[in-house]
Coordinates of all heavy atoms in Angstrom, one line a residue:
V80 N -9.1 4.5 6.3 CA -10.4 5.1 5.9 C -10.5 6.6 6.4 O -11.0 7.4 5.5 CB -11.6 4.2 6.4 CG1 -13.0 5.0 6.3 CG2 -11.6 3.0 5.7
P81 N -10.1 7.0 7.6 CA -10.3 8.4 8.0 C -9.5 9.3 7.0 O -9.9 10.5 6.8 CB -9.7 8.4 9.5 CG -10.0 7.0 9.9 CD -9.8 6.1 8.7
A82 N -8.4 8.8 6.5 CA -7.6 9.7 5.7 C -8.3 10.0 4.3 O -7.9 10.9 3.6 CB -6.2 9.0 5.3
L83 N -9.3 9.1 3.9 CA -10.0 9.3 2.6 C -11.1 10.2 2.8 O -11.6 10.8 1.8 CB -10.4 8.0 2.1 CG -9.4 6.9 1.7 CD1 -10.1 5.7 1.1 CD2 -8.3 7.5 0.8
L84 N -11.6 10.4 4.0 CA -12.9 11.2 4.2 C -12.5 12.7 4.0 O -11.4 13.1 4.1 CB -13.4 10.9 5.5 CG -13.8 9.4 5.8 CD1 -14.3 9.2 7.2 CD2 -14.7 8.9 4.7
P85 N -13.5 13.6 3.8 CA -13.3 15.0 3.7 C -12.5 15.5 4.9 O -12.8 15.2 6.0 CB -14.7 15.5 3.7 CG -15.5 14.5 3.0 CD -14.9 13.2 3.5
G86 N -11.4 16.2 4.6 CA -10.5 16.8 5.6 C -9.3 15.9 5.9 O -8.4 16.2 6.5
G87 N -9.4 14.6 5.4 CA -8.3 13.7 5.5 C -7.1 14.0 4.6 O -7.3 14.5 3.6
G88 N -6.0 13.4 5.0 CA -4.8 13.7 4.2 C -4.7 13.1 2.8 O -3.9 13.5 2.0
K89 N -5.6 12.1 2.6 CA -5.6 11.4 1.3 C -6.9 11.6 0.6 O -7.2 10.9 -0.4 CB -5.3 10.0 1.5 CG -4.0 9.5 2.0 CD -2.8 9.8 1.1 CE -1.5 9.5 1.7 NZ -0.3 9.9 0.8
H90 N -7.6 12.6 1.0 CA -8.9 12.8 0.4 C -8.8 13.3 -1.1 O -9.6 12.8 -2.0 CB -9.7 13.9 1.2 CG -11.1 14.2 0.7 ND1 -12.0 13.2 0.7 CD2 -11.7 15.2 0.1 CE1 -13.2 13.7 0.2 NE2 -12.9 15.0 -0.2
E91 N -7.9 14.2 -1.4 CA -7.7 14.6 -2.8 C -7.2 13.5 -3.7 O -7.7 13.3 -4.8 CB -6.9 15.8 -2.8 CG -7.4 17.1 -2.2 CD -8.7 17.5 -2.7 OE1 -8.9 17.4 -4.0 OE2 -9.6 17.8 -1.9
A92 N -6.4 12.7 -3.2 CA -5.9 11.5 -3.9 C -7.1 10.5 -4.2 O -7.2 9.9 -5.3 CB -4.7 10.8 -3.2
F93 N -7.9 10.3 -3.2 CA -9.1 9.5 -3.3 C -10.0 10.0 -4.4 O -10.5 9.3 -5.2 CB -9.8 9.4 -2.0 CG -11.1 8.6 -2.0 CD1 -11.1 7.4 -2.7 CD2 -12.2 9.1 -1.3 CE1 -12.3 6.6 -2.7 CE2 -13.4 8.2 -1.3 CZ -13.4 7.1 -2.0
K94 N -10.2 11.3 -4.4 CA -11.1 11.9 -5.5 C -10.4 11.7 -6.9 O -11.1 11.6 -7.8 CB -11.3 13.4 -5.2 CG -12.2 13.7 -4.0 CD -12.8 15.1 -4.0 CE -11.7 16.1 -3.9 NZ -12.4 17.5 -3.8
A95 N -9.1 11.8 -6.9 CA -8.5 11.5 -8.2 C -8.7 10.1 -8.7 O -8.9 9.9 -9.9 CB -7.0 11.8 -8.1
D96 N -8.7 9.1 -7.9 CA -9.1 7.8 -8.2 C -10.5 7.7 -8.7 O -10.8 7.1 -9.7 CB -8.9 6.8 -7.0 CG -7.4 6.4 -6.7 OD1 -6.7 6.4 -7.7 OD2 -7.1 6.0 -5.6
L97 N -11.4 8.4 -8.0 CA -12.8 8.4 -8.4 C -13.0 9.1 -9.7 O -13.9 8.8 -10.5 CB -13.7 9.1 -7.3 CG -13.8 8.2 -6.0 CD1 -14.7 9.1 -5.0 CD2 -14.4 6.9 -6.2
D98 N -12.1 10.1 -10.0 CA -12.2 10.9 -11.2 C -11.8 9.8 -12.5 O -12.5 9.8 -13.4 CB -11.2 11.9 -11.3 CG -11.6 13.2 -10.4 OD1 -12.8 13.2 -10.1 OD2 -10.8 14.0 -10.1
A99 N -10.8 9.0 -12.2 CA -10.5 8.0 -13.1 C -11.5 7.0 -13.4 O -11.8 6.7 -14.6 CB -9.1 7.4 -12.8

Side-chain angles (χ1 to χ4, degrees):
V80 169
L83 298 185
L84 303 181
K89 296 296 181 180
H90 183 63
E91 293 303 315
F93 179 42
K94 290 198 295 184
D96 280 339
L97 293 176
D98 289 344

